[in-house]
Amino acid sequence: MKFDLTPIDIVNDINKTDFEKHYLNPRKPLIIKNRSKEWPAHDKWNLDYMKTVVGDQTVSLYDSSKADPSKPINAPAAEMKFGDYIELIKHTPTDLRIFLFDPIKQAPKLLEDYRAPKDLMGGFLDSYPNMFFGGKGSVTFLHYDIDMAHIFHTHFNGRKHVILFENKWKERLYQIPYATYALEDYDVENPNFDKYPALKGVKGVEAFLEHGDTLFMPTGYWHWMKYLDGSFSISLRAWDKSWAVKARSLYNLTLQRKFDDFMKANFREKYMGWKEELAVKRANRALKRKKPNE
């Protein structure tokens, strides 16, 4: 069984007028094939180059196991020297990923190797953008970004499978209350519609990113990603112009996060069990009411 998925639009290049009209304003995903070809990174960035430039900083690694209710949601599974990790993912399938370590801060020369797409839109946020590394077979669990930014996600050194859903499907995806991720008990590639009936009929888009491809992922989009090779990506984030989206971002980052952290710290398994039960109830209710209305 599979989700109802259609391909993400792909272009080689696009101008600002067409990008705003067809993708930014309607908040529709897009892959731009040639966006990174003028970057020095396009020809320079591979796993060996990253190992040489970044060096042997100790990094936290994250796996695909379900979150432990007694720990923060982003609790690491292991630690390793960055260079050793690069050697691991070059040669060995592993579910270990890096997503809370910023190589650019350790190697500022990397700032010279890429360009934010300011010819397409403004509002870019980061002096040191996020980078993500994963071994073959590793998976990023289904979630949306807590800050509600637009994302330009460029991939290097291999392939990555990407599945996206509009935020309107959040209840049908079994969103965990007071969080930005979904119930982790179902397989996004092969969901069990008998056990999780609200998933049936959910519509999304998918793509297979290759070296140098840039994915535009609009604000609030749920995303699941699987590394098909040991590889890595850089995400450039930009504000949405909507004040309602900005307000939601502020709420997520302050009140919601603090409340959730407090409840997890004090009630642990009981709180997490309640949240998962409520996610199922909300999903079933949305299915019964045939939400969202398309």
Side-chain angles (χ1 to χ4, degrees):
M1 293 181 281
K2 302 284 187 180
F3 279 112
D4 184 359
L5 303 175
T6 56
I8 297 174
D9 286 359
I10 300 175
V11 298
N12 288 322
D13 295 291
I14 193 167
N15 60 46
K16 182 176 181 179
T17 299
D18 288 342
F19 177 71
E20 288 183 344
K21 179 180 179 180
H22 298 293
Y23 300 99
L24 179 60
N25 293 338
R27 298 191 177 102
K28 182 180 179 182
L30 174 69
I31 292 173
I32 310 172
K33 299 291 288 187
N34 292 338
R35 172 51 49 173
S36 71
K37 285 190 176 179
E38 296 181 358
W39 298 359
H42 187 273
D43 296 325
K44 292 167 61 176
W45 283 16
N46 56 40
L47 293 174
D48 288 328
Y49 181 75
M50 287 293 164
K51 178 181 175 181
T52 300
V53 173
V54 177
D56 270 335
Q57 298 287 327
T58 298
V59 296
S60 296
L61 304 176
Y62 301 82
D63 62 16
S64 301
S65 60
K66 187 175 180 179
D68 184 338
S70 67
K71 298 179 181 178
I73 184 63
N74 291 328
E79 289 187 342
M80 189 180 293
K81 296 290 186 181
F82 181 77
D84 293 338
Y85 174 75
I86 293 300
E87 287 300 313
L88 173 68
I89 66 173
K90 279 172 58 179
H91 304 292
T92 309
T94 176
D95 69 344
L96 294 175
R97 297 176 291 115
I98 296 175
F99 71 93
L100 289 176
F101 168 69
D102 193 343
I104 298 175
K105 288 183 179 178
Q106 308 299 324
K109 64 183 296 184
L110 295 172
L111 291 167
E112 303 170 4
D113 291 344
Y114 64 88
R115 308 285 184 270
K118 294 181 180 179
D119 58 318
L120 297 182
M121 66 174 294
F124 285 90
L125 297 170
D126 300 303
S127 299
Y128 300 98
N130 294 322
M131 295 189 72
F132 307 86
F133 294 73
K136 180 178 180 179
S138 61
V139 172
T140 303
F141 60 83
L142 184 61
H143 71 287
Y144 69 93
D145 288 356
I146 193 170
D147 63 0
M148 303 290 290
H150 295 299
I151 305 293
F152 288 82
H153 186 81
T154 303
H155 194 60
F156 295 93
N157 203 85
R159 299 165 300 140
K160 180 185 277 187
H161 184 195
V162 176
I163 296 177
L164 309 179
F165 302 97
E166 287 186 70
N167 199 268
K168 69 180 182 180
W169 293 105
K170 61 184 180 182
E171 290 183 336
R172 294 274 296 276
L173 292 170
Y174 295 82
Q175 178 183 5
I176 298 295
Y178 306 109
T180 59
Y181 61 96
L183 191 69
E184 298 176 70
D185 296 329
Y186 63 85
D187 182 352
V188 175
E189 283 187 293
N190 295 287
N192 185 333
F193 295 144
D194 294 329
K195 189 173 182 180
Y196 302 100
L199 298 176
K200 189 173 184 178
V202 172
K203 296 180 180 180
V205 293
E206 74 171 334
F208 294 85
L209 300 180
E210 298 178 339
H211 178 87
D213 287 351
T214 297
L215 167 68
F216 168 65
M217 187 165 54
T219 176
Y221 258 78
W222 288 77
H223 45 285
W224 170 96
M225 299 183 177
K226 182 176 183 178
Y227 292 82
L228 303 181
D229 304 290
S231 49
F232 62 98
S233 308
I234 183 171
S235 283
L236 307 179
R237 299 155 57 247
W239 277 123
D240 189 278
K241 290 183 178 180
S242 166
W243 284 103
V245 172
K246 290 184 175 73
R248 184 68 199 186
S249 171
L250 182 62
Y251 168 80
N252 288 347
L253 290 165
T254 56
L255 296 178
Q256 178 174 281
R257 174 179 275 178
K258 289 183 178 179
F259 172 79
D260 196 49
D261 287 345
F262 172 82
M263 294 296 287
K264 282 190 293 187
N266 287 276
F267 298 99
R268 299 186 179 183
E269 288 85 356
K270 184 177 181 180
Y271 174 60
M272 290 299 293
W274 171 79
K275 290 208 298 181
E276 291 185 355
E277 289 178 7
L278 185 55
V280 172
K281 289 178 181 178
R282 287 178 173 177
N284 291 337
R285 184 165 61 240
L287 176 62
K288 184 177 181 180
R289 295 177 179 177
K290 299 182 179 180
K291 290 187 175 182
N293 298 316
E294 296 188 81

